Structure formats: structure tokens, C-alpha cells
């Protein structure tokens, strides 16, 4: 399944990392329909909708993104996590979700989003 035209909510607190991910998403044919760098902003963007899949940095300025993940789960919106801690840093209920270990390459990003969309 191609990602061409897929609208992505990007949740990342590091501006340089976010720009790099945005470039990768563009190369995959995705559109960043929303971007957030804090938990509050991420929740607002999640509630606003307008995207098919979300990429969630697990730690946002020291706060964990799991309330946003809970909300997306309840709404049936697919998502993948990005984390320097891998799957072990996730609560049990989210360990079945795709996890991108940081740093990652475009192929890993593509695979994680494709997996999230197919679950």
C-alpha cells in the first residue's frame, strides 16, 4: 500500500527532527496536515482531525504522549510511536502499535505508517 496523499499528524517536540521527518513524509508523498510539539497542542490537533494517521513522539518536553494515543485509539485513528526507548518504553496496551526507534530512516518511517494504516 502506497502512502501517496496520506495526511499525517506529526507530533514531535524537537524542531530540527520535525523538519527532517516532514521532509521524509514529503518524499513518501504524504502531507503533514497538522504538527504539534507539546501535549496540549497534540491533543488539540488530534481532536481537530483532518488526518488519516499520526506519528507520535513518546516524550514531549518531558511529558508522555499517551493521553493523545488513548484518544486516537478511542476514535479508531491509526498511529505509530517514535521513541528512543523502543517498544519497552510503551505501556502494555500500546505495545502492539508500530514503534520507530529513534533515529530512523525513511524506509522505517514508511513501514511503520503502512503498518499503522493496515491495523
Amino acid at each position: 500500500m502506497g502512502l501517496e496523499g496520506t495526511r499525517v499528524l506529526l507530533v514531535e517536540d524537537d524542531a530540527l527532527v520535525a523538519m527532517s521527518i516532514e521532509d521524509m513524509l514529503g518524499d513518501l508523498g504524504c502531507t503533514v496536515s497538522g504538527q504539534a510539539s507539546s501535549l496540549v497542542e497534540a491533543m488539540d490537533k488530534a481532536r481537530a482531525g483532518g488526518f488519516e494517521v499520526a506519528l507520535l513522539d513518546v516524550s514531549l518536553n518531558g511529558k508522555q504522549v499517551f493521553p493523545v494515543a488513548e484518544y486516537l485509539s478511542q476514535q479508531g485513528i491509526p498511529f505509530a510511536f517514535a521513541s528512543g526507548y523502543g517498544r519497552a518504553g510503551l505501556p502494555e496496551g500500546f505495545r502492539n502499535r508500530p514503534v520507530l526507534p529513534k533515529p530512523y530512516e525513511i524506509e522505517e518511517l514508511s513501514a511503520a505508517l503502512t503498518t499503522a494504516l493496515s491495523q
Side-chain angles (χ1 to χ4, degrees), residues 73-94:
S73 292
Q74 292 165 359
Q75 302 304 309
I77 299 170
F79 60 90
F81 290 109
S83 172
Y85 304 102
R87 197 168 300 284
L90 300 178
E92 191 64 41
F94 289 129

Side-chain angles (χ1 to χ4, degrees), residues 3 8 13 20 25 29 31 36 39 48 57 69 75 81 87 92 106:
L3 293 170
V8 180
D13 63 351
S20 173
L25 289 168
T31 303
L39 187 57
D57 181 9
Q75 302 304 309
F81 290 109
R87 197 168 300 284
E92 191 64 41
I106 191 169

